[in-house]
Amino acid sequence: MRAILCREFGDPSILEPGDIAEPQIQPGVVKIQIHSTGLNFPDTLMISGKYQSQPPFPFSPGMECAGTVVEVGDGVTRFRVGDRVMADHGHGGLAEYVLARESRTYRIPDNMPFDQAAGFPITYGTTYHALVDRAAIQPGEVLLVHGAAGGVGLNAVEIGRLLGATVIGTVGSDEKKDIVRRYGADHVINYSTENFRDAVKDLTGGEGADVIYDPVSGDVFDQSVRCINWKGRLLIIGFASGRIAQLKTNLPLLKGCSIVGVYWGEFANRSPAVNQENFAKMFQWYVDGKIKPHVSRHFPLEETADAMRFILSRKSTGKVIVTIR
């Protein structure tokens, strides 16, 4: 089968097309014929050797996909051949077929196209878990979303609005403000021209944000701790800035706030039934027209390196999708 392969660590230029054997079915998994694959910032970390888990060489990146079930392993009860599904599988999605665990595979609504489904599992799964399970966000609270035009950020704006929060989004350019507003932000701050800490304080009458969604870390985290409300929750989503922040612990004491880690993948492994319930809720939102995944660009499989460069350029909004068939 066709696949994009990583044989050594490096930037996207090291990726190359190749032909490899189709994966063979195993107990507890489904084999998916891939139609579309969602790219994520962690894919760029994986090929550069900076991700928290690393498959052996050679491997195909691509953590999530959507397609059709073509084979089911022993013990699988929830799926059958022909089902339209999405899945998150760690790696292997930039190929024509992939194996995915039954518990990390989701039957998609009939009206959801494969490209929207392919970019759904990781960012929506992370965001729902963060805001509902970890932050327990309440209607009327103020939600500050960093990187609000990106994959997880735009989902946080969208879901935060649905949950009744007042949403403040931060972006790196004025060009990204419009889409963040369209997805439900009440206020949008360009952090390259404004001090978001002061702006958040001004917007909240000096109180600060109740929940802060931070996929950036670094300087953004440092300033976020200084504009969080009493009993606020600062959600650690990721480290897109490249610097893992260090916290002076007197600040949570003085603010009475919580620093909350969000590791959706491990949550989904440990609480599969709750995770499936979360997705059922989001799928109903989709059917009802309350959420709509945003795809900024599509790339063919052979142009995967360009797709990753597009993500690294920080010009993308929402999700970037690789079309397999």
Side-chain angles (χ1 to χ4, degrees), residues 145-199:
V145 179
H146 293 303
V152 288
L154 204 59
N155 292 168
V157 170
E158 186 178 33
I159 292 177
R161 172 185 57 83
L162 272 176
L163 296 174
T166 296
V167 181
I168 304 172
T170 70
V171 295
S173 66
D174 287 340
E175 291 76 14
K176 293 181 177 180
K177 284 185 173 182
D178 285 344
I179 190 168
V180 176
R181 289 194 183 99
R182 290 204 308 270
Y183 269 72
D186 299 276
H187 310 279
V188 187
I189 300 166
N190 181 348
Y191 60 77
S192 66
T193 58
E194 301 177 67
N195 183 311
F196 78 79
R197 179 186 68 180
D198 294 343

Side-chain angles (χ1 to χ4, degrees), residues 2 11 15 17 39 58 65 69 82 102 204 255 270 272 287 301 317:
R2 293 183 303 142
D11 63 27
L15 297 174
L39 289 186
C65 78
V69 174
E102 181 180 24
T204 59
K255 297 276 190 174
R270 291 174 179 264
V287 171
L301 181 64
T317 56

Side-chain angles (χ1 to χ4, degrees), residues 8 76 86 103 115-116 133 140 158 171 173 184 187-188 204 211-212 225 227 231 238 240 252-253 256 265 277 298 304:
E8 60 180 326
V76 172
M86 64 174 70
S103 63
D115 63 338
Q116 290 185 7
D133 300 322
E158 186 178 33
V171 295
S173 66
H187 310 279
V188 187
T204 59
V211 177
I212 300 179
V225 183
C227 64
K231 297 179 71 173
L253 184 152
E277 290 172 5
H298 299 77
T304 294

Side-chain angles (χ1 to χ4, degrees), residues 1 21-26 28-34 67-73 76 79-83 85 96-101 105:
M1 66 174 181
E22 289 184 20
Q24 299 302 302
I25 198 67
Q26 302 168 14
V29 305
V30 298
K31 183 175 178 178
I32 301 170
Q33 184 184 55
I34 300 175
T68 305
V69 174
V70 294
E71 197 171 353
V72 297
V76 172
F79 300 100
R80 60 186 179 183
V81 173
D83 283 345
V85 298
E96 293 184 287
Y97 298 90
V98 73
L99 300 181
R101 285 178 290 169
T105 304

